[in-house]
Amino acid sequence: MADIEVRHTGQHSFEATNDRGASVRIGRKDQPGSFSPVELLLAAAAGCAAVTAETLITRRVGDGFTARAGDVRPEGAHQLDEVPVTLDYDLSALDEDQRATLETAVRRAVEQLCTVTRTLKKATPAPLHLPASASTTRHPPEGR
């Protein structure tokens, strides 16, 4: 199980680290040099699809493919309506049957194995845990 720690580093500035020593800066969408939380979600969706499909794609068409995820929501909304993921790679060296076979294999792999996009489709709960305050841990006086 992977845990990510996000530490406050300044006003509207945070750093996320994993147990392998990697880190990424997080901030508000206008914070220079950082990713916003939504951008990290989009990167996770595109990255998961890319990691999942990498071997299938590079084995057939070589290196140099890209993955993108879009932010689809009404202006000012605080919830995404959709996270479309696009994989882009050069199919010019493949005939029509090879293209169809690759498309089927990539689509199946991402739909079955990409944890991030599968989780987004499922709308997994994300409970918020806060420290217990003194008032919630105290017991009422006896006799009341």
Side-chain angles (χ1 to χ4, degrees), residues 11 17-18 20 33 37 44 52-54 58 75 80 83 89 91 96 98 110:
Q11 184 177 11
T17 57
N18 65 17
R20 295 180 313 281
T52 301
E54 177 184 24
T58 59
E75 185 68 33
L80 300 177
V83 179
Y89 42 90
L91 295 171
E96 192 173 320
Q98 291 170 322
V110 171

Side-chain angles (χ1 to χ4, degrees), residues 67-83:
R68 285 181 212 81
D71 178 339
V72 178
R73 61 179 152 171
E75 185 68 33
H78 292 283
Q79 179 176 321
L80 300 177
D81 289 342
E82 185 178 41
V83 179

Side-chain angles (χ1 to χ4, degrees), residues 52-53 56-57 60 89 98-113:
T52 301
L56 294 168
I57 294 169
R60 290 169 179 85
Y89 42 90
Q98 291 170 322
R99 289 177 185 187
T101 300
L102 179 56
E103 178 183 342
T104 300
V106 167
R107 189 171 302 282
R108 183 179 299 132
V110 171
E111 288 174 356
Q112 292 178 358
L113 303 173

Side-chain angles (χ1 to χ4, degrees), residues 1-4 18-20:
M1 183 168 113
D3 285 334
I4 301 297
N18 65 17
D19 58 1
R20 295 180 313 281

Side-chain angles (χ1 to χ4, degrees), residues 6 9-10 12 19 28 31 40 43-44 49 55 68 71 74 76 83-84 87 109 116 119 121-122 126 129 139 141:
V6 177
T9 58
H12 312 307
D19 58 1
R28 292 187 177 184
Q31 189 80 12
L40 287 173
T55 301
R68 285 181 212 81
D71 178 339
V83 179
L87 295 176
V116 175
T119 301
K121 289 176 185 176
K122 184 179 175 187
H129 301 277
H139 298 285

